[in-house]
Amino acid sequence: MTPRPESSGSRPKGTAGEKIPEQPTAAQQKSAAKKTAVPKQAAAKKTAPARTTAKKAAAGKTTAAKTVAKKAAAKKAPAKKTPVEQPTAPAETTAVAKRTAAKKAAVKKTAAKKATATKATAAGSPAKTAAAKKATTKKATAKKATAKQAAAKKAPAAKALAQKATVSGAPAEKALPKKSAVKKAPAGQAPAGTAASAQVVPPEMEVTVAPAVGSADRERLLGGTHHDPHSVLGAHPVPGGVAFRAFRPYALSVTVVAGELRAELHDDGEGFFSGLLPLREVPEYRLVVEYEGTVLETEDTYRFLPTLGDLDLHLIGEGRHEELWTALGAHPMTHQGVAGTRFAVWAPNARGVRVAGTFNFWDGTGHVMRSLGSSGVWELFLPDIGEGELYKFEITRPDGSRTLRADPLARRTEVPPATSSIITSSQYEWGDAQWLARRAEVPAHEAPFSVYEVHLPSWRPGLTYRQLAEQLPGYVKNLGFTHVELMPVAEHPFGGSWGYQVTGFYAPTARLGTPDDFRYLVDKLHQAGIGVLMDWVPAHFPRDAWALAEFDGRPLYEHEDPLRAAHPDWGTLEFDFGRNEVRNFLVANAVYWCEEFHIDGLRVDAVASMLYLDYSREPGQWTPNEHGGRENLDAVAFLQEMNATVYRRVPGVVTVAEESTAWDGVTRATHHKGPSGFGGLGFGLKWNMGWMHDSLQYMSHEPVHRKYHHGEMTFSMVYAYSENYVLPISHDEVVHGKGSLVSKMPGDWWQQRAGVRSYLGFMWAHPGKQLLFMGQEFAQGAEWSEAHGPDWWLLDPGYGAEPDHRGVRDLVRDLNTVYRATPALWRLDTDPAGFEWVVGDAADDNVLAFLRLDPEGAPVLAVSNFAPVIRQDYRLGVPDDVPAWHEAVNTDAARYGGSDVTNPDPVKPEPLAWHGRPASIRLTLPPLATVWLRPA
């Protein structure tokens, strides 16, 4: 009976523990030939039943002669040999490999899967051939392999039956590594591995298994829903040897190479390849993969251990991994001695995750990630993949659909509108050690702190990070600002959002260069003595289908309650601050910018929208917290954790809250509870939005009406010490129809410029730090647009009104210079002891006057006249221990474009009590001007 040829599917199972008769009779041989079970230790081979019967022959001359005769008969038969899946062992290991077939030629492989097998008759009978499918187009190769068996030397029966595999012309004895060879038996005994010594074969190799990937695993791998591909693919010790399985879509063949071993795997179809090699342990091996037109030698992706440890996964699950960016994302690294890239992503609802990118032509079918326990983290190490490659994660959602997503922790992205993530690592060498060493010497609220806010893409349109680094530090230093605040930094798809709808929370925007280019800009600013703040947006994110929204098919980063998730003002989604992993994502992100990019401070956007459940929501659109209140307790806990973590890990960094309500304790320590029962949020500074709105409202009135709004300028001192404040004239106040700062002022062009100068003088003297948006330092008339940036042409010497604009800029420089040199203007910003009213109720005069004091009591007298008239001999009460005062700043000076009404000589106090003080002075107050006086 001709045996049925094997298929590429499952194979018939052998019988475990089957005894081997020492001298089979012809009847026994015929009976064995009818069996379709695969002999033990050869499940991965397509074997000929003729050799199956021969293996049972005992040693002896008669049997050996019969064996030779059988092989000679087989040589004459015209039947084709079945292509084999792996090479056989050397002659010494025939017990392990004697049932394997000849190896297909490594170079001229085809897609043939099946062949006929020959069935030998009793000893000395000619072999009968069986009709079957064509095995290969290389008939000559198959016949040559048969001829080699017929020409074998006379040997014991078991040796005579052993197949000899040759790899690239190497002899059969070198087909396996030496460590896998079976030792020769002592003289007088049959060699180990022969039929006579079958009893010494290791028990684990007595029963073989089919190496091909099972149908269930196969279906899940193809469908992108497998959670543990490493348990199936790669090399695995099994009874009978080591099973090798590869999943290489579009490959023509896959060959295992280990030392001098070279074994081609069987093509199981649909990109699956498998083979069982008679090895005692998994060797160090590589894969040679042939595609149409090319051959690639590479490491097996599925032979590597996980790159993340239990501690990483535990911390992620607890929401306490403060260096999350080192665990998740794409990281070039050397793993188990092999260079490649580790990919890891959190997607707990996914049915499966694959990596797609330029390295696999955006087909992630063959790069299936594994799920690491219950952490929700998926991981894969891809050898030979390095920096510069683009990638995304292909996620199979719970409903079976697929989505291609950018990496939430990508540290570099494509230039928008392209959306792919890019593998990157930093090679940057910092030069700001001196800056960092002294950064923490003085807390921000006790130090000079004046900020120049910059929209990087439009400050000088067209400049890259490195080009900006050659211009921005010098400009800011010349103006005397202590810090810059950069917007935007994190990657965002829509430029019109100014960076406030972030999709790449860990990636500097690629519009201006690489992450290391951004590091270069920060470094240069530090070397110029300028601190760097950045706008940070943890409140919300856009709904782009390639980013965070329903990342793995269900609400993940956003709250699962649609009412809680949807931001009513911006059409975005709010983060779920109560979820450990989401909170961890944001806290680690804050640390990331400070540690990886040496950022000196984070200005946190839209804090109020995070703190209140009913923010911009009507009744019925929000649900009270567990206490029945409107506070978002999860957001409170997140902000407290973020601030505590940043201040603990990065000394000298300051966090600044853009918080527009009267929330209690924004800048109070997190462990100090206030009247509301909450601990402080832990910020270092808070934008004083109330001062900004009130003061700009006052300045927008005609001077004749200002007396009715006088309280708008004095009310800020009622709460000035409730928080540590920054006084912001930010981008929000000079865009979208609000006009520029100078255009807010009433009157003609001269009065408008005078109003700006007097306002800036008042602002710099007022308790609190200062922030001014670009373009306002030279009284730009047009409101800002991100499309073209500041109107630098106003400072062109060829422009007729250039002196007017340059004068305002010169004033800003002098304000900063005097401010930084005068501790009374910043040392006690947050202490009531640093401020005293001289006159705050002169509404009819539109005059305000106050003293600023340093810890030693040294004063600065600031006087503002917001009326367009000169006030001669205006008497003000002053301390009697200052012998004389002189002007330090006068915003009406001619060099600033003013009318040059000044007090050029020292002003001496008179022993006349005034404004409740024992002495007084008489000043000439310029129109629409602020004057600073210091002790002479």
Side-chain angles (χ1 to χ4, degrees):
M1 171 180 173
T2 303
R4 175 173 58 89
E6 292 182 317
S7 70
S8 61
S10 60
R11 309 174 189 278
K13 297 181 179 179
T15 305
E18 182 182 3
K19 298 297 182 181
I20 302 177
E22 293 187 1
Q23 286 185 322
T25 64
Q28 289 173 328
Q29 291 176 344
K30 187 173 182 178
S31 174
K34 292 180 181 180
K35 294 183 179 180
T36 59
V38 179
K40 55 188 175 181
Q41 302 175 357
K45 303 287 185 178
K46 298 181 179 178
T47 59
R51 291 193 295 277
T52 302
T53 58
K55 80 176 179 66
K56 298 180 181 180
K61 292 182 180 180
T62 304
T63 307
K66 291 179 180 180
T67 302
V68 174
K70 288 200 308 182
K71 297 188 77 173
K75 175 182 176 182
K76 296 177 182 179
K80 303 171 186 175
K81 286 292 182 180
T82 303
V84 296
E85 297 177 58
Q86 60 269 348
T88 60
E92 290 82 1
T93 60
T94 54
V96 175
K98 61 190 175 182
R99 289 174 296 276
T100 63
K103 180 182 177 292
K104 282 196 297 184
V107 177
K108 300 180 179 180
K109 301 174 292 290
T110 64
K113 301 287 194 293
K114 301 179 180 67
T116 60
T118 57
K119 170 174 170 284
T121 59
S125 300
K128 296 181 180 180
T129 60
K133 299 168 73 175
K134 292 183 179 179
T136 173
T137 60
K138 310 295 185 298
K139 296 181 179 180
T141 303
K143 291 179 179 180
K144 185 177 181 180
T146 307
K148 286 183 179 179
Q149 292 179 355
K153 296 179 179 180
K154 293 183 179 181
K159 277 191 176 182
L161 291 173
Q163 295 176 330
K164 293 186 177 182
T166 303
V167 183
S168 300
E173 288 77 12
K174 295 183 179 180
L176 292 178
K178 293 181 180 179
K179 62 182 180 181
S180 301
V182 180
K183 295 182 179 180
K184 293 183 178 181
Q189 299 183 15
T194 63
S197 60
Q199 68 274 14
V200 303
V201 175
E204 70 273 11
M205 300 182 72
E206 287 187 355
V207 179
T208 59
V209 298
V213 175
S215 59
D217 286 319
R218 186 177 178 124
E219 181 179 354
R220 287 193 293 159
L221 288 168
L222 288 169
T225 60
H226 208 294
H227 280 240
D228 192 9
H230 293 70
S231 67
V232 178
L233 304 176
H236 300 273
V238 297
V242 174
F244 290 84
R245 306 183 189 97
F247 182 31
R248 294 281 174 161
Y250 313 113
L252 299 179
S253 67
V254 177
T255 300
V256 173
V257 177
E260 296 185 3
L261 168 66
R262 188 179 182 94
E264 180 184 349
L265 301 183
H266 182 265
D267 187 347
D268 299 325
E270 297 183 288
F272 291 93
F273 298 82
S274 65
L276 180 67
L277 300 187
L279 305 173
R280 295 176 181 271
E281 59 184 35
V282 176
E284 292 289 331
Y285 71 96
R286 290 171 65 85
L287 299 178
V288 174
V289 186
E290 181 185 6
Y291 296 96
E292 184 174 352
T294 187
V295 176
L296 173 68
E297 182 171 348
T298 182
E299 298 285 347
D300 185 357
T301 299
Y302 295 95
R303 80 170 182 84
F304 294 96
L305 297 172
T307 56
L308 295 177
D310 291 340
L311 179 59
D312 286 310
L313 300 178
H314 172 75
L315 292 175
I316 291 172
E318 291 289 317
R320 303 291 180 184
H321 203 307
E322 295 177 1
E323 296 181 358
L324 186 66
W325 68 92
T326 66
L328 301 182
H331 290 267
M333 62 188 307
T334 298
H335 181 49
Q336 295 177 216
V338 176
T341 295
R342 185 272 313 285
F343 297 89
V345 63
W346 178 60
N349 298 310
R351 291 178 59 190
V353 184
R354 303 189 285 205
V355 183
T358 50
F359 44 84
N360 58 17
F361 302 96
W362 294 102
D363 184 347
T365 305
H367 288 148
V368 186
M369 304 180 75
R370 64 177 147 205
S371 176
L372 300 180
S374 61
S375 65
V377 175
W378 301 76
E379 180 265 357
L380 185 67
F381 177 76
L382 291 184
D384 305 323
I385 302 300
E387 291 192 56
E389 297 279 7
L390 276 59
Y391 71 98
K392 283 186 178 181
F393 294 112
E394 182 188 273
I395 297 174
T396 302
R397 293 180 279 211
D399 64 0
S401 63
R402 295 189 188 127
T403 179
L404 201 59
R405 298 290 175 135
D407 184 358
L409 279 93
R411 292 168 297 146
R412 184 182 174 190
T413 69
E414 284 189 285
V415 178
T419 59
S420 296
S421 305
I422 301 178
I423 301 171
T424 188
S425 63
S426 176
Q427 310 299 327
Y428 189 76
E429 295 183 5
W430 289 89
D432 61 349
Q434 185 177 357
W435 167 268
L436 296 180
R438 68 171 187 268
R439 183 174 64 179
E441 291 176 355
V442 181
H445 62 278
E446 296 179 359
F449 196 93
S450 60
V451 183
Y452 183 60
E453 187 183 23
V454 179
H455 178 261
L456 280 177
S458 69
W459 185 75
R460 295 280 193 183
L463 297 189
T464 65
Y465 289 128
R466 289 186 177 268
Q467 292 168 335
L468 284 164
E470 303 307 319
Q471 297 188 32
L472 183 61
Y475 183 80
V476 175
K477 184 175 183 179
N478 178 264
L479 287 179
F481 287 97
T482 65
H483 291 73
V484 293
E485 180 178 313
L486 306 180
M487 56 166 285
V489 174
E491 191 60 271
H492 52 286
F494 176 50
S497 76
W498 313 328
Y500 293 108
Q501 294 193 13
V502 178
T503 50
F505 282 82
Y506 285 78
T509 179
R511 292 171 173 86
L512 308 181
T514 69
D516 276 357
D517 292 340
F518 179 65
R519 288 181 173 92
Y520 180 80
L521 172 60
V522 175
D523 199 359
K524 287 299 183 181
L525 286 163
H526 283 171
Q527 292 177 37
I530 300 164
V532 182
L533 313 177
M534 64 168 277
D535 280 10
W536 186 57
V537 192
H540 61 121
F541 57 91
R543 297 175 179 266
D544 297 72
W546 50 269
L548 296 184
E550 293 191 354
F551 182 75
D552 60 1
R554 291 178 181 167
L556 187 65
Y557 289 91
E558 67 270 39
H559 201 282
E560 62 183 358
D561 181 352
L563 291 180
R564 288 279 296 274
H567 197 293
D569 289 342
W570 303 312
T572 54
L573 295 170
E574 296 184 9
F575 281 102
D576 183 358
F577 302 110
R579 185 160 190 167
N580 287 348
E581 296 90 345
V582 175
R583 190 176 64 251
N584 193 168
F585 174 81
L586 294 171
V587 172
N589 187 242
V591 175
Y592 169 77
W593 289 107
C594 296
E595 292 190 352
E596 292 292 322
F597 293 92
H598 294 194
I599 295 296
D600 302 294
L602 301 172
R603 178 266 193 185
V604 183
D605 182 65
V607 172
S609 72
M610 302 164 65
L611 292 174
Y612 298 99
L613 295 170
D614 63 345
Y615 185 87
S616 291
R617 293 177 172 89
E618 300 297 329
Q621 294 180 338
W622 63 281
T623 303
N625 62 32
E626 60 191 50
H627 304 298
R630 57 196 284 255
E631 299 85 4
N632 186 337
L633 303 182
D634 292 335
V636 171
F638 156 67
L639 291 171
Q640 290 174 328
E641 180 182 348
M642 182 275 297
N643 281 309
T645 304
V646 167
Y647 278 104
R648 170 173 50 82
R649 288 187 62 115
V650 197
V653 165
V654 63
T655 57
V656 185
E658 187 219 14
E659 202 283 308
S660 57
T661 73
W663 182 277
D664 174 51
V666 172
T667 58
R668 189 171 60 239
T670 58
H671 58 282
H672 290 167
K673 289 188 177 181
S676 62
F678 290 107
L681 296 183
F683 284 94
L685 298 168
K686 172 184 173 177
W687 274 20
N688 194 334
M689 309 294 282
W691 172 89
M692 180 269 297
H693 285 297
D694 289 346
S695 62
L696 289 180
Q697 181 71 20
Y698 174 87
M699 296 301 297
S700 68
H701 293 298
E702 291 287 346
V704 69
H705 300 303
R706 285 175 177 169
K707 63 181 179 179
Y708 303 111
H709 302 275
H710 195 74
E712 293 173 354
M713 292 296 271
T714 60
F715 181 66
S716 60
M717 292 311 302
V718 173
Y719 59 87
Y721 301 103
S722 61
E723 303 282 1
N724 304 336
Y725 283 116
V726 174
L727 311 179
I729 302 299
S730 73
H731 62 278
D732 279 326
E733 310 315 314
V734 296
V735 74
H736 289 339
K738 295 181 180 179
S740 67
L741 181 60
V742 71
S743 69
K744 297 177 189 294
M745 306 298 158
D748 59 22
W749 174 234
W750 188 95
Q751 289 178 322
Q752 285 182 315
R753 287 184 291 114
V756 165
R757 294 194 305 267
S758 63
Y759 181 73
L760 293 175
F762 171 78
M763 173 181 173
W764 253 252
H766 191 284
K769 312 308 181 182
Q770 300 81 36
L771 179 141
L772 189 65
F773 185 63
M774 65 183 195
Q776 312 316 303
E777 78 274 15
F778 57 84
Q780 174 176 309
E783 68 178 15
W784 170 66
S785 169
E786 77 279 356
H788 58 74
D791 292 333
W792 295 108
W793 58 270
L794 297 173
L795 297 173
D796 187 337
Y799 175 59
E802 181 268 345
D804 297 343
H805 299 281
R806 189 172 296 279
V808 175
R809 191 174 70 169
D810 289 344
L811 171 66
V812 171
R813 179 191 301 112
D814 290 350
L815 288 174
N816 275 323
T817 301
V818 176
Y819 167 78
R820 296 178 71 167
T822 309
L825 293 174
W826 43 265
R827 184 70 183 278
L828 296 179
D829 264 336
T830 60
D831 188 337
F835 179 90
E836 294 179 8
W837 277 114
V838 173
V839 55
D841 57 357
D844 290 340
D845 298 335
N846 295 354
V847 171
L848 294 166
F850 52 84
L851 290 169
R852 296 296 309 279
L853 306 168
D854 69 12
E856 287 72 37
V860 171
L861 176 62
V863 186
S864 295
N865 175 22
F866 293 115
V869 297
I870 300 173
R871 301 194 183 278
Q872 301 285 353
D873 293 334
Y874 200 86
R875 188 173 290 276
L876 296 168
V878 294
D880 60 357
D881 57 350
V882 177
W885 301 80
H886 74 90
E887 283 188 353
V889 173
N890 186 327
T891 66
D892 191 50
R895 64 182 180 275
Y896 305 140
S899 58
D900 208 26
V901 175
T902 64
N903 298 273
D905 301 322
V907 180
K908 296 183 180 181
E910 302 173 5
L912 176 62
W914 206 261
H915 293 138
R917 297 180 182 277
S920 59
I921 59 174
R922 290 181 299 166
L923 293 175
T924 298
L925 300 185
L928 297 174
T930 295
V931 178
W932 294 357
L933 297 102
R934 292 189 299 190

